[in-house]
Amino acid sequence: MAKIVYQRPKSLKEAIFHYCPGCGHSIVHRIIAEVIDELGIRGITIGVPPAGCAVLAYNYFDVDMIEAPHGRGPAMASAIKRSLPDRVVFSYQGDGDLAAIGIAESFHAANRGENITIIFINNAVYGMTGGQMAPTTMLEQKTTTSPLGRNNKLDGYPVKVSEIFSQLQGVTYLERCMVNSPANVNKTKKAIKKAFQCQINGHGFSLIEILSPCPTNWKMNAVNSCKWIDEVMSKVFPPGVFKDNIPVTAKTAEVAK
Amino acid sequence: MNKVLMSGNFIICEAAIRAGCRFYGGYPITPQNELTEYMAEHMRKAEGGIFIQSESEIAAINMIAGASAAGLRAMTSSSSPGISLKQEGISSMAACELPGVVVNIMRGGPGLGNIRPSQGDYFQATRGGGHGDYRTIVLAPATCQELADLTMAAFDLADKYRNPVMILADGMMGQMMEPVTFKKPKPRIYNKKFMLQGAGTGKSKFIHGLILDPIDMEEHNWKLARKYEVISKKEPRHEEYNINNAKMIIVAYGTAARIAKGAIKRLQNNGMNIGLFRPVTLWPFPEQQLRSLSAKVKNYLVFEMSTGQMLEDVRLALQGYADIRFHGRPGGAVPTPAELANVIARVYERTVK
Ligand SMILES: Cc1ncc(C[n+]2csc(CCOP(=O)(O)OP(=O)(O)O)c2C)c(N)n1
Ligand code: SF4
Ligand SMILES: [Mg+2]
């Protein structure tokens, strides 16, 4: 019998992604679904998709989901988790959603140490609304609302969510990853799994920031988008583990498994 | 059943907890802080009770949406400016058909206004308030006993119609102390299939308000409209006082109705026959009930602590069948019954033959 090496994760519905070719959202959806399958938590997972390109995430994930108004996912997720403490609750957010309109909800859910996981897609633009400047847009980066490039004097600076949030005492695990190469996708998947595991073990708030290509609004092809993450984006947003307060005993237990 | 003496804000909380509310999220704003403070202490004492002091009113409304989706009875409270901030969330709950109770202890406005009792949020409360084609059920208590009873009813109505319900009171009601009896709450009737608790081994579900296809969206709008139609037929509540032989009827709700009642009692002693029509549900407005009075009584005076908002509903209800006058005190100025009696007497003498 042939060995199956690749198949659709059970936690993904049989629907075709509406995302543009080369978009990071599809990759991240897939690896979240793989993690949910591997942890065997499909039946107890509740996801909160945002307003953003991922607004239709509930058409893809085969887990219970509730749409949040733009930016409010972490408030909703906090309440769901408190109401159902033995469920696994994650909020999925873009950079506009998390770092602009919903910065307060995200910041305070983190500060309260809510035992939830935020998957944060940093693609340096507002994808859904047509490529406007996001809080994470690079200096000099051209968008539809920074046509001459982001000007620090007039438009401010890219917001470094991981650096800022890692300062909050309520945060247990925080890592910044990228999905621009197979190796980085694997790393991102590991980080997501660790974050979910952190939540399952009751260790508290986790956030995984993911540098994610938006070829359409970057006006690049998929390959150049991946390169741009390496050459430009990751210089401003360096990947790495920003915080790991998961108790040591829990960590060794995991390794032992 | 024992009577207890409590102030309005506390009564709402106590009634909510007894009715099985197990999630409260709120942000401080005067004149409703006692409500949040009471919840901070007593919600966490209740079995399974969750209290979160949220970072904003926006967060609070989305928290109760989350808790409600998860299957809990949930409530938030605020006062006028904070209620404005909640509107996107209320609209979203109406779209997603999530039950929930929102308390507005109104203060003077617009803008920051002041912290005195006012009724300036009638339009916002009864016309949906946020964006889109939707309604919230609005209950307007006028006594402490009603604060208790209507708070319990608010949870039942929210579940029954899977819609947000607003309790609309003002700073005066919140501070007022009267003896109150907490009745036995009705057992909760709410289908588990509407709760989002994880798919288990079954099919996953999702709750959403985004409906991109215009025909599907239209169908959802009509579905909601049909629900609102049923509510309009079945749920209007009002109180009539001294209506028999009345030559003139005052239409007022909440605190304004209490003042009007006091004024009417005074005028009775002077031989003036004046009745009171008090809507208890502001939406649905007890339209038919008011209209049916116009066969007998042709003179109406609307009294509101605003520049005239419910006035529009009274006009729509009476459809030109009667003479309608208005007296308003916006901005937190609360007249005494004696002052209002003078106003009513003048109108009475001019209009009632
Ligand atoms: C209150 C509100 N304001 C604005 C919008 C419009 N809107 C939808 S998504 C979005 C930005 C999405 O950008 P981001 O969060 O970065 O997600 P992406 O699409 O890039 O994944 C905006 C502004 C909205 N839905 N609600
Ligand atoms: S616009 Fe960008 S973020 Fe949105 S689907 Fe297309 S590539 Fe992805
Ligand atoms: Mg974005």
Side-chain angles (χ1 to χ4, degrees):
Chain A
M1 226 171 78
K3 193 174 162 237
I4 298 169
V5 289
Y6 193 80
Q7 64 180 348
R8 178 183 290 277
K10 291 208 172 50
S11 303
L12 271 191
K13 293 178 185 166
E14 300 232 351
I16 293 168
F17 288 134
H18 72 281
Y19 301 112
C20 312
C23 174
H25 280 300
S26 338
I27 303 169
V28 178
H29 280 27
R30 184 185 163 94
I31 56 182
I32 292 174
E34 286 177 2
V35 167
I36 291 172
D37 283 0
E38 285 167 23
L39 294 171
I41 53 171
R42 177 205 168 255
I44 57 163
T45 298
I46 300 174
V48 183
C53 276
V55 67
L56 294 172
Y58 48 73
N59 285 342
Y60 310 126
F61 285 108
D62 189 22
V63 302
D64 276 7
M65 296 204 119
I66 177 167
E67 148 207 296
H70 194 20
R72 318 305 170 199
M76 235 180 206
S78 298
I80 294 170
K81 183 71 186 190
R82 298 253 196 141
S83 304
L84 302 165
D86 55 357
R87 304 303 194 277
V88 178
V89 181
F90 75 95
S91 160
Y92 185 106
Q93 300 173 255
D95 36 33
D97 194 89
L98 187 147
I101 196 167
I103 186 78
E105 284 76 6
S106 303
F107 186 95
H108 288 282
N111 191 53
R112 285 192 303 268
E114 298 287 351
N115 190 24
I116 59 172
T117 302
I118 293 183
I119 306 295
F120 167 40
I121 304 294
N122 178 354
N123 58 10
V125 283
Y126 284 45
M128 182 185 219
T129 40
Q132 294 84 3
M133 182 178 69
T136 46
T137 294
M138 308 290 101
L139 291 178
E140 311 300 329
Q141 185 186 340
K142 288 192 173 124
T143 70
T144 56
T145 51
S146 58
L148 302 178
R150 185 176 190 163
N151 174 330
N152 65 326
K153 294 235 163 51
L154 300 174
D155 308 319
Y157 297 86
V159 174
K160 301 182 176 187
V161 169
S162 289
E163 283 81 347
I164 296 167
F165 276 48
S166 60
Q167 301 301 311
L168 297 172
Q169 272 180 275
V171 173
T172 304
Y173 191 77
L174 200 161
E175 182 170 348
R176 182 185 283 134
C177 308
M178 322 195 272
V179 285
N180 61 340
S181 72
N184 284 336
V185 170
N186 281 339
K187 254 194 196 164
T188 307
K189 184 178 161 186
K190 266 203 196 108
I192 293 173
K193 196 167 185 180
K194 192 158 183 186
F196 276 39
Q197 195 70 60
C198 165
Q199 180 182 162
I200 291 165
N201 293 343
H203 294 315
F205 184 89
S206 49
L207 186 151
I208 307 300
E209 174 172 354
I210 301 163
L211 306 187
S212 170
C214 173
T216 303
N217 288 305
W218 294 356
K219 305 198 173 14
M220 291 174 202
N221 63 28
V223 174
N224 287 341
S225 299
C226 291
K227 263 197 208 140
W228 194 72
I229 290 181
D230 264 337
E231 288 163 11
V232 181
M233 230 182 143
S234 62
K235 300 291 181 285
V236 179
F237 300 115
V241 175
F242 283 79
K243 192 153 187 191
D244 184 355
N245 274 0
I246 298 173
V248 182
T249 47
K251 273 186 230 165
T252 44
E254 248 165 73
V255 173
K257 259 201 280 187
Chain B
M1 256 178 272
N2 285 343
K3 269 194 186 309
V4 288
L5 189 68
M6 276 177 114
S7 71
N9 282 324
F10 292 167
I11 292 169
I12 296 174
C13 299
E14 191 53 40
I17 293 171
R18 287 177 191 234
C21 175
R22 285 297 176 270
F23 189 99
Y24 173 89
Y27 185 86
I29 183 169
T30 311
Q32 64 84 57
N33 290 319
E34 297 83 353
L35 216 155
T36 311
E37 287 159 9
Y38 190 96
M39 281 305 200
E41 182 178 349
H42 295 272
M43 183 53 91
R44 284 183 180 173
K45 282 186 190 158
E47 201 194 328
I50 302 159
F51 167 89
I52 302 182
Q53 179 170 330
S54 60
E55 54 274 26
S56 70
E57 289 85 351
I58 301 174
I61 189 73
N62 287 289
M63 284 175 185
I64 78 154
S68 166
L72 299 196
R73 281 192 154 177
M75 179 170 109
T76 181
S77 67
S78 188
S79 179
S80 311
I83 297 294
S84 294
L85 284 180
K86 289 185 196 292
Q87 293 300 338
E88 183 203 27
I90 297 173
S91 162
S92 166
M93 288 176 75
C96 296
E97 297 195 86
L98 289 172
V101 175
V102 179
V103 181
N104 182 1
I105 305 292
M106 288 182 281
R107 58 188 246 179
L112 269 185
N114 62 23
I115 58 171
R116 306 283 305 158
S118 160
Q119 296 184 323
D121 303 349
Y122 182 93
F123 281 153
Q124 187 196 52
T126 58
R127 267 62 178 167
H131 61 284
D133 227 337
Y134 79 97
R135 298 286 185 162
T136 48
I137 298 171
V138 184
L139 306 175
T143 63
C144 281
Q145 186 58 52
E146 252 186 4
L147 279 174
D149 297 346
L150 291 180
T151 299
M152 290 188 178
F155 285 97
D156 295 335
L157 288 166
D159 283 343
K160 183 171 175 190
Y161 295 106
R162 294 198 290 128
N163 204 69
V165 175
M166 181 172 283
I167 296 170
L168 194 69
D170 59 62
M172 187 94 118
M173 297 281 321
Q175 301 296 329
M176 193 165 63
M177 270 209 174
E178 276 175 351
V180 57
T181 306
F182 291 102
K183 297 179 183 139
K184 195 165 176 274
K186 293 189 191 129
R188 185 180 193 200
I189 304 169
Y190 192 68
N191 197 328
K192 234 184 134 136
K193 77 172 183 207
F194 299 122
M195 300 176 188
L196 199 70
Q197 301 190 323
T201 49
K203 248 186 99 180
S204 62
K205 50 181 183 259
F206 48 89
I207 298 176
H208 64 121
L210 183 88
I211 305 173
L212 292 171
D213 184 286
I215 301 302
D216 292 347
M217 186 71 232
E218 183 184 28
E219 185 37 53
H220 186 57
N221 278 138
W222 286 124
K223 180 188 155 207
L224 293 177
R226 286 191 293 274
K227 173 167 88 176
Y228 302 144
E229 192 69 37
V230 172
I231 298 172
S232 302
K233 287 218 176 71
K234 286 172 78 171
E235 303 300 344
R237 300 186 193 194
H238 75 287
E239 184 206 6
E240 290 175 6
Y241 168 74
N242 209 32
I243 291 281
N244 295 336
N245 308 321
K247 297 235 164 35
M248 183 167 104
I249 289 175
I250 313 294
V251 187
Y253 71 94
T255 294
R258 290 176 71 100
I259 301 166
K261 221 178 224 183
I264 290 168
K265 282 183 191 154
R266 277 160 206 266
L267 293 170
Q268 242 168 353
N269 304 336
N270 301 349
M272 288 182 227
N273 265 328
I274 298 164
L276 173 71
F277 184 91
R278 177 174 72 89
V280 173
T281 51
L282 301 182
W283 192 87
F285 189 79
E287 193 177 46
Q288 300 294 341
Q289 293 78 355
L290 180 59
R291 186 174 309 145
S292 67
L293 291 180
S294 67
K296 268 175 38 197
V297 186
K298 296 294 180 195
N299 294 289
Y300 293 79
L301 173 66
V302 178
F303 169 53
E304 292 178 75
M305 283 144 60
S306 77
T307 55
Q309 300 191 12
M310 182 177 68
L311 176 61
E312 292 193 1
D313 282 334
V314 175
R315 284 187 183 137
L316 286 168
L318 294 176
Q319 294 180 342
Y321 292 132
D323 183 83
I324 303 165
R325 305 292 161 113
F326 174 73
H327 181 64
R329 292 299 302 277
V334 184
T336 62
E339 283 169 53
L340 185 65
N342 284 334
V343 174
I344 296 173
R346 256 185 283 137
V347 177
Y348 189 90
E349 269 148 29
R350 253 186 282 141
T351 55
V352 177
K353 270 131 218 139

